[in-house]
Amino acid sequence: MPVLPTTAFDKTKAAFIRKSYAVFTPTGLSAITIVGKVSDIMGDLTVVDLKQPDAKGVNRPVRHAPSEAVESVVIKDLEDIDTVLSTLGGLTEMKVGKVQFFWVDPSDAAGKVRLMSDEFDCACVRGGTITTGGEWLKNPELKFLSEKLGPITITPNATVT
Amino acid sequence: MALVRSKVLFAGLKAALEAIPLDAVSDPDGAKLFDAVEQVPNKRLATQMEKLLIGAKKRVCLIVPMALHKVQRETESTDLILQLRYWEVSLVFTDVAYFKAGTRVMFGSDTNPGLLDLAETVEQAVEGKELSNYGGVVFQDGGPLSLAEKELPETREVWEQTLMLPAGDTRVSTF
């Protein structure tokens, strides 16, 4: 007879991120730190399947294999237009380099950060439509498109200095 | 729960207020804006201010805890509650013209800054100051106030400024 799990939900594992930091080092230039409130950690994995007919002749997938992966991280809702411009040199420019992300929970203990990526090769471009008028400048985004030959590594509760 | 202890917050606010220079431009290391800053409960404020002013104190500031607010964040999970905590605090302050009446109290003179100037100096120095990892001090409404108590002979003109101090968060699972 199957055993019903009774494990309680551990709310301490629910991450509450209030700040996202991107430390971007364009090739040949100094590191730039970008601070954002919102970020999207994007990862699309395309999976192909192998199908076989079952006893009734209905094809069913019996094996899956990843065939393509695209990863990126987007720092969104940046009111800091100066950093967007100085990072890229223009709103339709692209810079290549290396980037590392830190996602901070305000309750993180000293020397810890809730999530941290590895430093990976990337291309940085702008996203979003920049809206101005009567309030904070809205919507500029910086997209960091992974050029790493392998998946981005994200470590929870990472040790930092 | 990841609350920021109230004692730590209020001590940080007190230190920030005590550090404000009277003249940040020409004498930043000179006299302080307030001769005395005290944390007090919300009762008999006129009497408490009077006690501070005795003893040659000129400009004094009371830190008065008013209420602890919890603001629930909109999340997709209704079973995992996330609330941000804020301490609502009133600053009640006055200057050398505490015992004077009329325009000198509000607008100052050659010998006293006046309540308007005090209020703006406090706002410039403290608004946005981060006393915890949860963000900066938020200033809300402020304005002149007359303090009166039965045992005192006259009303006291002060400035009351409401602040919100980010004080951590609450995380509760209801499933």
Side-chain angles (χ1 to χ4, degrees), chain B residues 21 23-24 26-32:
Chain B
D23 186 343
S26 57
D27 191 14
D29 299 321
K32 299 302 181 189

Side-chain angles (χ1 to χ4, degrees), chain B residues 22 62 82 85 91 112 119 130 154 167 173:
Chain B
L22 178 60
L62 304 180
L82 175 63
R85 303 170 80 244
L91 300 182
N112 76 293
E130 297 198 0
E154 55 188 300
S173 167

Side-chain angles (χ1 to χ4, degrees), chain A residues 14-15 22 33 37 44 79 94 100 104 109 116 135 137 151-153 156:
Chain A
T33 299
K37 301 185 298 291
D44 290 324
E79 287 89 1
M94 184 181 86
Q100 184 169 26
V104 177
M116 182 179 78
E135 55 182 315
L137 179 145
I152 300 171
T153 303

Side-chain angles (χ1 to χ4, degrees), chain B residues 32-57:
Chain B
K32 299 302 181 189
L33 186 69
F34 294 117
D35 299 306
V37 178
E38 293 293 336
Q39 303 173 58
V40 300
N42 185 21
K43 61 179 184 179
R44 305 190 69 180
L45 294 178
T47 302
Q48 299 193 67
M49 185 159 274
E50 189 107 333
K51 284 179 184 172
L52 275 183
L53 286 166
I54 294 170
K57 300 289 195 330

